[in-house]
């Protein structure tokens, strides 16, 4: 496919129409819009709740807080996973306060009611003091739909939403050859941040900001417009292929000059002499494909054999509606998302996870916050801006989040003016409008249309 160098391109069949709804500031700052999202959006989508590997034995649980809601996912006796609202049926106390744990009974901290991992009330104080008799065996926690995809646990609060794999389509299929099932979460960061959740959602739905916000990536990721391929799917999700192991074609001198750092070091790591590519640096990408095919298996990257050449060297950046981002390279899966604050539309919670394949003999992997042991990491929660990095590229994105939130509060802002390459931003907001506008709901992601 050819395109003018300054023109964005969408893969054939994956360029979805948009209406041109104006994206005004109220959706980022108003309580009213937040209330509409709480009522009409969040209960009607699948949420990534945790990792399957966190639940080893019956009774192991992981909790996910989402705005004012909280859900627990628990391993069952038959090894399936059930999810329940994290609320005691006695008088509503939140049951589980920690993020992860395990027990043969869930005990409410208020009056001590106890529930089995299957969510059934099994023990109460004063069982004979109930007008209708002992409630044990009759009262249950309120169940939430729960399904898994690869290493991930998802839950959904709505019965009519499509099954998980239909909802995620076509990404499970597109991501299958990376072999994510046994990858290890080596970095698990969360942070409170002072901007609306959609600000970073928009940021991840465009690469227009790369030359200005992440200029250091330009010698390793080709953000040239005609080299980047965008896709939008009927399910509301998007993806973007960016060529990796190649400097940006926005600066032609990178191609004709010496191999720039860090591409030179990466070339050496794969047994190539960067000097051989001076004057035609773009050819390194293909040479690294060949080197990975040759050397990957002996280095323990058993998953390379199932990957396409494109997957071996490029970045597959998937933005799933409404708030989940999965960025893939052969050696790393980054999960990024922003979630709503319980009460303040001008705040959110940012998540940044890194998963790495279990390469035999490897002790350490490089993550966005530096080397980390190749083992399951515990959560580190911080407040953005307190000096703790949430990943060097993510730090750059979040720094803009704060100043954009401030600018959106200005009377002078009249609505976004978008480029063609930011069409994914436009479509995201139009889908969101469909969800949060009562009576106008044209939810494309519903079970009837997908089944
Ligand atoms: S609210 Fe849970 S036991 Fe009373
Ligand atoms: Fe960014």
């Amino acid at each position: 496919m050819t395109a003018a160098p300054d023109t964005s391109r969408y893969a054939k069949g994956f360029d979805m129409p948009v209406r041109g709804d104006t994206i005004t500031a109220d959706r980022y700052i108003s309580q009213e819009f937040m209330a509409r999202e709480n009522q009409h959006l969040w209960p009607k989508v699948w949420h990534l709740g945790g990792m399957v590997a966190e639940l080893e034995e019956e009774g192991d649980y992981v909790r996910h807080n989402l705005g004012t809601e909280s859900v627990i996912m628990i391993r069952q006796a038959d090894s399936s996973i059930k999810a329940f609202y994290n609320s005691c049926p006695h008088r509503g106390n939140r049951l589980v306060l920690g993020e992860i744990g395990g027990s043969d009974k869930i005990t409410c901290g208020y009056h001590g009611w106890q529930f089995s991992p299957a969510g059934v009330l099994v023990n109460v104080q004063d069982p004979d003091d109930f007008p209708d008799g002992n409630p044990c065996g009759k009262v249950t926690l309120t169940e939430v739909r729960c399904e898994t995809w690869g290493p991930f646990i998802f839950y959904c609060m709505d019965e009519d939403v499509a099954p998980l794999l239909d909802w995620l389509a076509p990404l499970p299929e597109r991501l299958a050859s990376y072999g994510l099932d046994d990858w290890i979460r080596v970095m698990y960061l969360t942070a409170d941040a002072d901007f609306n959740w959609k600000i970073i959602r928009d940021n991840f739905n465009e690469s227009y900001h790369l030359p200005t916000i992440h200029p250091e990536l330009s010698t390793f990721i080709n953000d040239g417009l005609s080299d980047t391929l965008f896709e939008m799917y009927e399910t509301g999700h998007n993806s973007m292929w960016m060529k990796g192991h190649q400097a940006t074609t926005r600066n032609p001198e990178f191609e004709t000059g010496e191999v720039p750092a860090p591409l030179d070091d990466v070339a050496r790591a794969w047994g190539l002499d960067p000097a051989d590519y001076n004057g035609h640096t773009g050819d390194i990408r293909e040479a690294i494909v060949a080197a990975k095919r040759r050397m990957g298996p002996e280095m323990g990257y058993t998953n390379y054999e199932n990957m396409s050449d494109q997957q071996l060297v490029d970045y597959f950046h998937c933005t799933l509606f409404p708030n989940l981002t999965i960025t893939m390279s052969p050696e790393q899966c980054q999960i990024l998302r922003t979630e709503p604050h319980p009460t303040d539309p001008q705040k959110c919670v940012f998540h940044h996870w890194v998963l790495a394949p279990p390469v035999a003999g490897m002790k350490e992997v490089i993550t966005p916050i530096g080397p980390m042991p190749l083992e399951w990491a515990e959560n580190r929660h911080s407040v953005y801006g307190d000096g703790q990095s949430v990943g060097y590229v993510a730090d750059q994105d979040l720094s803009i989040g704060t100043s954009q939130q401030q600018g959106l509060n200005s009377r002078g802002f009249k609505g976004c003016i978008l480029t063609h390459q930011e069409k994914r931003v436009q479509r995201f907001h139009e889908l969101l409008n469909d969800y949060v506008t009562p009576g106008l709901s044209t939810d494309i992601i519903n079970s009837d249309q997908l089944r």
Side-chain angles (χ1 to χ4, degrees):
M1 187 183 295
T2 56
D6 56 352
T7 306
S8 54
R9 63 197 178 104
Y10 289 81
K12 202 165 173 9
F14 295 99
D15 184 4
M16 297 292 161
V18 291
R19 299 184 294 254
D21 300 2
T22 304
I23 304 169
T24 52
D26 59 321
R27 67 188 49 230
Y28 300 97
I29 61 181
S30 84
Q31 287 283 354
E32 188 266 338
F33 200 91
M34 182 185 201
R36 287 161 65 191
E37 290 174 348
N38 285 339
Q39 185 176 354
H40 301 295
L41 173 71
W42 299 120
K44 296 190 175 172
V45 297
W46 283 97
H47 298 280
L48 173 57
M51 303 289 296
V52 173
E54 292 178 289
L55 310 183
E56 292 178 21
E57 297 175 5
E58 181 188 3
D60 287 355
Y61 61 80
V62 59
R63 179 210 63 188
H64 181 232
N65 289 347
L66 177 87
T68 54
E69 196 53 90
S70 182
V71 169
I72 47 178
M73 289 139 275
I74 310 177
R75 179 73 77 181
Q76 303 296 299
D78 66 358
S79 87
S80 66
I81 299 171
K82 284 183 188 276
F84 303 98
Y85 288 104
N86 188 10
S87 176
C88 180
H90 178 217
R91 279 170 50 202
N93 188 41
R94 192 164 274 191
L95 282 168
V96 170
L97 302 182
E99 197 218 313
I100 187 164
S103 170
D104 59 350
K105 292 189 192 68
I106 301 161
T107 303
C108 179
Y110 197 173
H111 310 91
W113 284 25
Q114 291 187 309
F115 302 85
S116 71
V120 179
L121 182 64
V122 291
N123 191 27
V124 293
Q125 266 194 96
D126 304 333
D128 300 326
D129 193 36
F130 290 82
D132 296 328
N134 185 345
C136 290
K138 298 177 202 144
V139 170
T140 59
L141 302 179
T142 304
E143 194 164 349
V144 182
R145 290 173 70 193
C146 185
E147 296 179 24
T148 62
W149 161 52
F152 306 113
I153 310 169
F154 285 77
Y155 67 87
C156 178
M157 296 177 252
D158 191 286
E159 289 302 317
D160 294 328
V161 170
L164 177 64
L165 292 184
D166 291 345
W167 164 274
L168 294 171
L171 295 170
E173 185 190 331
R174 303 262 175 132
L175 294 165
S177 51
Y178 288 100
L180 281 168
D181 284 23
D182 58 356
W183 287 30
I184 298 164
R185 186 170 59 190
V186 297
M187 189 188 93
Y188 179 18
L189 307 179
T190 51
D192 297 326
D194 286 339
F195 47 82
N196 181 273
W197 68 275
K198 294 183 290 296
I199 282 188
I200 285 296
R201 168 75 332 197
D202 295 344
N203 175 280
F204 291 156
N205 261 329
E206 50 94 352
S207 55
Y208 193 44
H209 69 279
L210 261 67
T212 46
I213 304 301
H214 313 300
E216 77 287 351
L217 298 181
S218 66
T219 53
F220 193 74
I221 297 178
N222 183 355
D223 59 7
L225 215 39
S226 61
D227 290 290
T228 305
L229 190 64
F230 305 112
E231 293 189 344
M232 296 189 285
Y233 306 112
E234 287 186 0
T235 43
H237 313 310
N238 305 310
S239 71
M240 171 175 75
W241 276 106
M242 297 198 92
K243 287 183 180 171
H245 299 78
Q246 190 172 82
T248 181
T249 44
R250 287 178 185 270
N251 181 349
E253 288 176 15
F254 282 141
E255 169 69 15
T256 55
E258 291 189 5
V259 175
L263 198 49
D264 54 351
D265 278 343
V266 174
R268 284 186 203 97
W270 287 103
L272 306 173
D273 182 353
D276 293 343
Y277 297 88
N278 289 343
H280 55 111
T281 68
D283 292 344
I284 282 189
R285 178 169 164 271
E286 274 190 32
I288 286 180
V289 170
K292 283 190 167 186
R293 293 251 178 258
R294 196 173 58 247
M295 299 165 62
E298 72 200 43
M299 292 171 75
Y301 288 108
T302 52
N303 56 346
Y304 281 3
E305 66 179 345
N306 298 320
M307 292 185 203
S308 66
D309 289 356
Q310 188 180 34
Q311 288 175 324
L312 280 181
V313 283
D314 294 347
Y315 292 90
F316 190 39
H317 175 78
C318 310
T319 43
L320 288 75
F321 186 84
N323 67 328
L324 180 63
T325 298
I326 303 174
T327 299
M328 292 301 312
S329 75
E331 300 85 18
Q332 197 164 88
C333 167
Q334 293 190 61
I335 302 284
L336 301 120
R337 64 174 168 184
T338 42
E339 299 194 312
H341 185 272
T343 56
D344 189 341
Q346 309 212 47
K347 294 180 188 292
C348 70
V349 182
F350 175 70
H351 283 231
H352 193 180
W353 308 358
V354 169
L355 278 59
V359 175
M362 188 173 281
K363 299 262 185 301
E364 219 173 53
V365 289
I366 303 298
T367 75
I369 56 168
M372 296 285 281
L374 181 53
E375 56 190 48
W376 285 86
E378 292 192 357
N379 175 237
R380 192 200 77 195
H381 186 78
S382 61
V383 175
Y384 176 70
D386 69 359
Q388 295 201 73
S389 174
V390 290
Y392 67 92
V393 175
D395 287 341
Q396 295 167 330
D397 289 319
L398 267 62
S399 72
I400 287 300
T402 309
S403 58
Q404 190 181 357
Q405 185 73 39
Q406 291 165 341
L408 286 166
N409 277 277
S410 169
R411 288 177 186 80
F413 180 73
K414 297 187 171 63
C416 301
I417 302 166
L418 300 179
T419 59
H420 186 48
Q421 66 192 283
E422 292 167 292
K423 194 174 182 184
R424 290 164 294 157
V425 175
Q426 181 71 30
R427 182 158 185 257
F428 162 78
H429 284 284
E430 295 188 0
L431 291 176
L432 177 61
N433 287 347
D434 292 347
Y435 270 83
V436 303
T437 309
L440 186 87
S441 180
T442 54
D443 301 358
I444 60 163
I445 308 171
N446 68 53
S447 50
D448 289 344
Q449 283 167 284
L450 286 168
R451 275 176 187 150

